[in-house]
Amino acid sequence: MVRRSLASLLFGAMGVLGATAAQAHPDVWITSSSELLFAPDGSMTGVRHAWTFDDMFTTGALQEIDGKAKDAYSREELAPLARTNAESLKEFGYFNFAKADGKNVKFDEPVDYFMEYSRDRLTLHFTLPLKQPVKPKELVLDVFDPTFFADFKFGGSDSVSLVGAPPSCTIGLQRRPMDRAARAKPVDEHPADDDHDEAGAMFANRITVACP
């Protein structure tokens, strides 16, 4: 049985559309919240995300799942869907691109993933551990889909937070441009795009953590 995943939609879109900066447009909308995780020694160990999908994606993803009650799905019933989504996102770097003091850092495979259904929406929860913990003065995390098939949106300032960080650390969020006309701009005009040449980079959300 084929489970519908965000990654499968992305692969299909790229194959049919051959998305470019001029053609790219979102077909999946994701509202995100994130926690950056720290160890007792002050090093950052990973990031924990909660991604809430739009109603159309939710409806399609649930078509093959038989809930015990209408519009009610347990974590156990959603477990295969959660696994498919979490594991398949590796092809897209999990839509997370990080730098510690200007150097690229890599993420390991997701852990502690599960899905929940509430208010007609599916939310994927998962943790991305860093392959190696880092202790930078500045860490920058860009969250975006390189193809811009999926649009990521963060809410208010409380949509990003630090867990276990040293007291001196501060966090900032630069949300992706609201104006869709920004697509007409060259990619390098977006301040979060200095190392990304993909269409979606101009809509990156940037989380910055400073630990002086």
Side-chain angles (χ1 to χ4, degrees), residues 119-195:
R119 299 180 180 180
D120 301 323
R121 299 289 190 276
L122 280 172
T123 298
L124 174 66
H125 299 263
F126 65 102
T127 297
L128 280 180
L130 292 175
K131 286 186 177 293
Q132 296 292 335
V134 294
K135 209 172 184 178
K137 292 184 177 179
E138 182 183 69
L139 183 130
V140 175
L141 174 65
D142 289 338
V143 180
F144 69 98
D145 167 21
T147 69
F148 198 49
F149 187 78
D151 178 63
F152 288 86
K153 180 182 74 173
F154 282 79
S157 58
D158 60 348
S159 61
V160 295
S161 60
L162 304 178
V163 177
S168 61
C169 294
T170 59
I171 189 169
L173 172 62
Q174 177 185 338
R175 299 176 185 84
R176 61 106 170 96
M178 298 297 292
D179 184 5
R180 297 296 192 228
R183 266 180 290 169
K185 298 180 181 180
V187 168
D188 59 7
E189 287 189 17
H190 191 284
D193 297 344
D194 47 3
D195 294 298

Side-chain angles (χ1 to χ4, degrees), residues 24-191:
H25 61 87
D27 284 86
V28 178
W29 285 264
I30 299 170
T31 301
S32 178
S33 63
S34 304
E35 297 175 320
L36 282 78
L37 310 177
F38 288 76
D41 67 355
S43 61
M44 182 182 164
T45 60
V47 57
R48 185 160 54 220
H49 289 298
W51 290 353
T52 300
F53 297 95
D54 65 83
D55 56 347
M56 290 186 64
F57 178 90
T58 295
T59 299
L62 292 174
Q63 285 180 350
E64 298 179 7
I65 299 178
D66 296 323
K68 294 179 180 178
K70 185 177 181 180
D71 295 331
Y73 301 89
S74 67
R75 285 192 188 183
E76 290 74 21
E77 291 167 331
L78 295 173
L81 184 62
R83 182 173 59 253
T84 297
N85 278 275
E87 293 178 353
S88 63
L89 293 178
K90 184 177 182 179
E91 294 291 337
F92 298 90
Y94 307 107
F95 305 116
N96 283 249
F97 307 90
K99 283 195 170 188
D101 290 334
K103 297 181 179 179
N104 291 326
V105 295
K106 300 297 184 181
F107 290 99
D108 216 334
E109 295 185 0
V111 297
D112 301 332
Y113 51 80
F114 65 93
M115 266 188 163
E116 64 178 354
Y117 179 77
S118 177
R119 299 180 180 180
D120 301 323
R121 299 289 190 276
L122 280 172
T123 298
L124 174 66
H125 299 263
F126 65 102
T127 297
L128 280 180
L130 292 175
K131 286 186 177 293
Q132 296 292 335
V134 294
K135 209 172 184 178
K137 292 184 177 179
E138 182 183 69
L139 183 130
V140 175
L141 174 65
D142 289 338
V143 180
F144 69 98
D145 167 21
T147 69
F148 198 49
F149 187 78
D151 178 63
F152 288 86
K153 180 182 74 173
F154 282 79
S157 58
D158 60 348
S159 61
V160 295
S161 60
L162 304 178
V163 177
S168 61
C169 294
T170 59
I171 189 169
L173 172 62
Q174 177 185 338
R175 299 176 185 84
R176 61 106 170 96
M178 298 297 292
D179 184 5
R180 297 296 192 228
R183 266 180 290 169
K185 298 180 181 180
V187 168
D188 59 7
E189 287 189 17
H190 191 284

